[in-house]
Amino acid sequence: MKATTNETHDPALQSWVKSANAAGSDFPIQNLPYGVFRRRGSHENWRSGVAIGDQIVDLAAAAKSARSAFPHEASDALQAAAGHTLNEFMGLGHAAWSALRLALSRGLRAGSSAEALLKHCLVPQTEAEHSVPARIGDYTDFYTSIHHATHIGSLFRPDNPLMPNYKWIPIGYHGRSSSVIVSGHDFKRPVGQVKPQGADAPVVRASQRMDIELELGVFVGAGNALGEPIAMAQAEDHVFGFVLLNDWSARDIQPWEYQPLGPFLAKNFATTISPWIVTTEALAPYRAAPPERPAGDPAPLAYLDSPENGTHGAIDMQLEILLQTPKMKEANQRAARICLTNYQYAYWTFAQLVAHHTVNGCNLRPGDLFGTGTLSGPNPDQAAALIEITHGGKQPITLPNGETRTFLEDGDSVILRGWCEKAGHPRIGLGECRGTVLPARAIQRDQDDRATD
Ligand code: MN
């Protein structure tokens, strides 16, 4: 486990990039998250960058003109990180990640001799657009919140809410990577096969129960060879970092299709992630013990257990969902918070996800993505999906302007935010993960209504 802090976490550090020192910035010098960007509207090459305050350090520019500011190992890592995705850098492993983080931290500190070189590599974040930061070979979505699993299970299966395997296995399914999109890219409401209550046969229509799932995305760094499991003791070394993830879900498509093989078209039309990957190393000061398992719950099996996991396998990270309707946008009203939860409540830690995913020898590759599953906490205001918040669509929520919602309507925007704060340490944030539901495409008549011809 690599949950130890070092000089890059020193709360006293200040940057010569002044905006990084402002209280409330998501990106102080202690954070240094990685993303892929170019100037908005340009045809420039996509390249990697590091967020600092309201600026981006262009790593491709730094690799060209500022390599002398980076010691040998960091210089090699910089070269690997300078490409149009982060996969090569992710594959180098934690020693290389740590070397580049240290060099960037030293170079961006107030008084650094590298300021003159690095200041020419800055691009304002307001001028940037982002792409998905890695080529995602495989995407796996888990189900790590027992509060979510119990609540949603009681809606889908009132007599059998929590399956008997839940407390033994980190439940997951193989998702789809091709439809993972970056914050700000909107998507059309999905069309699909739905079986209305009481109907004899299904119909094809636009989903009427469009939902959100507040999750974290976990980016795998160095992979493992096929056939060689990753043990708990090494699991965190394979995790590059974290993004916010919205697993948009069509709750009327889901119940008709999900048995017996799990979620399919209800989930794979869009998954939005935030652009900046906050590294596992940056999160070291905010590590926490996972919740104690209630009396009677089984202890994790040996391959899912380690002493470190029990003491600081979790992360104390606040997470929120904000909703902004078209009427709120027209009236210039701010997005309204509909959930505030914490990653710390998860039943399974991210190290356990890595150990479980590979116990059979399945190989992970740099840039693979895990979703944690909806991160609902134990209290009602910590429910992290509309299906939970509205009790299956039966109890609408009322927004500050008086509008109500059960599920999302066309034009609704959802913003996820996340941050860590702890006494004696600066606040670091994940930025935001934003998406807007656009109207569904028109359904072709021959698909919808063959019988009338
Ligand atoms: Mn999910």
Side-chain angles (χ1 to χ4, degrees):
M1 295 243 183
K2 289 286 168 289
T4 50
T5 55
N6 54 46
E7 67 169 79
T8 66
H9 302 94
D10 181 351
L13 293 182
Q14 298 268 300
S15 176
W16 51 260
V17 180
K18 295 280 186 280
S19 58
N21 308 325
S25 169
D26 274 349
F27 309 121
I29 191 168
Q30 292 84 358
N31 193 349
L32 304 177
Y34 293 88
V36 168
F37 78 103
R38 68 181 176 192
R39 280 192 178 76
R40 187 180 299 125
S42 77
H43 294 285
E44 294 173 355
N45 289 331
W46 295 106
R47 69 270 194 189
S48 306
V50 167
I52 177 82
D54 62 6
Q55 302 290 310
I56 301 170
V57 182
D58 179 339
L59 294 184
K64 261 195 203 130
S65 62
R67 276 188 88 173
S68 59
F70 293 80
H72 181 67
E73 195 183 5
S75 174
D76 289 349
L78 175 66
Q79 198 60 43
H84 62 279
T85 72
L86 284 162
N87 294 74
E88 186 185 344
F89 177 54
M90 290 167 149
L92 293 181
H94 67 87
W97 310 335
S98 212
L100 184 54
R101 174 178 165 87
L102 179 61
L104 285 164
S105 172
R106 287 178 176 169
L108 290 166
R109 280 176 206 174
S112 168
S113 59
E115 176 178 348
L117 280 173
L118 286 175
K119 74 179 176 197
H120 296 294
C121 303
L122 295 182
V123 175
Q125 284 171 28
T126 52
E127 291 177 19
E129 61 181 354
H130 290 271
S131 78
V132 172
R135 192 177 55 254
I136 302 168
D138 280 295
Y139 163 49
T140 306
D141 197 20
F142 286 93
Y143 202 45
T144 65
S145 160
I146 195 168
H147 309 291
H148 174 71
T150 305
H151 205 166
I152 201 164
S154 70
L155 295 169
F156 279 56
R157 295 175 306 274
D159 50 335
N160 185 20
L162 195 67
M163 294 292 198
N165 56 4
Y166 187 87
K167 293 174 179 176
W168 296 93
I169 290 179
I171 300 293
Y173 66 95
H174 283 116
R176 187 153 186 94
S177 56
S178 66
S179 51
V180 177
I181 54 181
V182 77
S183 177
H185 287 252
D186 304 332
F187 63 92
K188 289 191 174 83
R189 177 182 297 271
V191 164
Q193 198 178 126
V194 172
K195 190 158 177 289
Q197 267 204 332
D200 293 332
V203 296
V204 177
R205 70 179 186 204
S207 171
Q208 295 172 1
R209 288 162 72 89
M210 260 304 302
D211 202 355
I212 53 195
E213 291 191 338
L214 162 59
E215 307 192 15
L216 281 172
V218 181
F219 269 106
V220 173
N224 58 308
L226 183 61
E228 290 178 17
I230 298 172
M232 278 295 284
Q234 282 81 46
E236 289 196 6
D237 291 346
H238 290 263
V239 174
F240 180 73
F242 295 79
V243 291
L244 297 159
L245 183 149
N246 191 341
D247 179 18
W248 307 96
S249 298
R251 299 298 187 196
D252 41 1
I253 298 174
Q254 189 174 354
W256 175 233
E257 73 167 8
Y258 88 105
Q259 287 180 321
L261 291 185
F264 184 34
L265 301 176
K267 300 275 193 177
N268 70 2
F269 53 91
T271 304
T272 307
I273 60 172
S274 54
W276 295 111
I277 308 176
V278 173
T279 61
T280 310
E281 186 173 356
L283 293 165
Y286 314 98
R287 301 303 296 270
E292 206 147 315
R293 292 190 165 203
D297 280 16
L301 294 175
Y303 82 95
L304 292 171
D305 207 2
S306 73
E308 294 83 357
N309 191 63
T311 55
H312 53 267
I315 302 173
D316 180 2
M317 182 190 289
Q318 308 256 55
L319 299 163
E320 71 174 345
I321 308 175
L322 303 156
L323 176 60
Q324 195 180 31
T325 68
K327 275 196 183 141
M328 292 163 77
K329 289 177 208 173
E330 279 162 33
N332 249 329
Q333 286 163 338
R334 294 198 308 176
R337 177 189 282 174
I338 59 170
C339 165
L340 177 65
T341 183
N342 195 304
Y343 182 35
Q344 199 180 339
Y345 298 122
Y347 195 83
W348 298 102
T349 65
F350 65 96
Q352 288 172 319
L353 304 186
V354 171
H356 185 64
H357 206 309
T358 61
V359 67
N360 65 345
C362 175
N363 51 330
L364 304 177
R365 294 176 294 188
D368 281 0
L369 179 67
F370 297 170
T372 56
T374 309
L375 290 172
S376 302
N379 302 325
D381 60 349
Q382 295 167 331
L386 284 169
I387 192 169
E388 278 182 80
I389 297 170
T390 67
H391 300 271
K394 292 191 197 77
Q395 294 176 22
I397 49 168
T398 304
L399 298 168
N401 68 353
E403 284 185 279
T404 60
R405 285 292 185 275
T406 47
F407 293 96
L408 297 176
E409 296 189 7
D410 290 347
D412 284 353
S413 296
V414 176
I415 301 114
L416 309 182
R417 293 219 177 95
W419 64 94
C420 295
E421 48 194 353
K422 182 181 174 184
H425 285 278
R427 173 191 179 283
I428 67 170
L430 283 91
E432 70 171 33
C433 176
R434 177 186 292 265
T436 301
V437 185
L438 304 176
R441 67 175 173 80
I443 302 171
Q444 290 160 13
R445 193 159 157 272
D446 64 338
Q447 246 185 330
D448 192 32
D449 197 8
R450 284 165 302 177
T452 56
D453 274 11

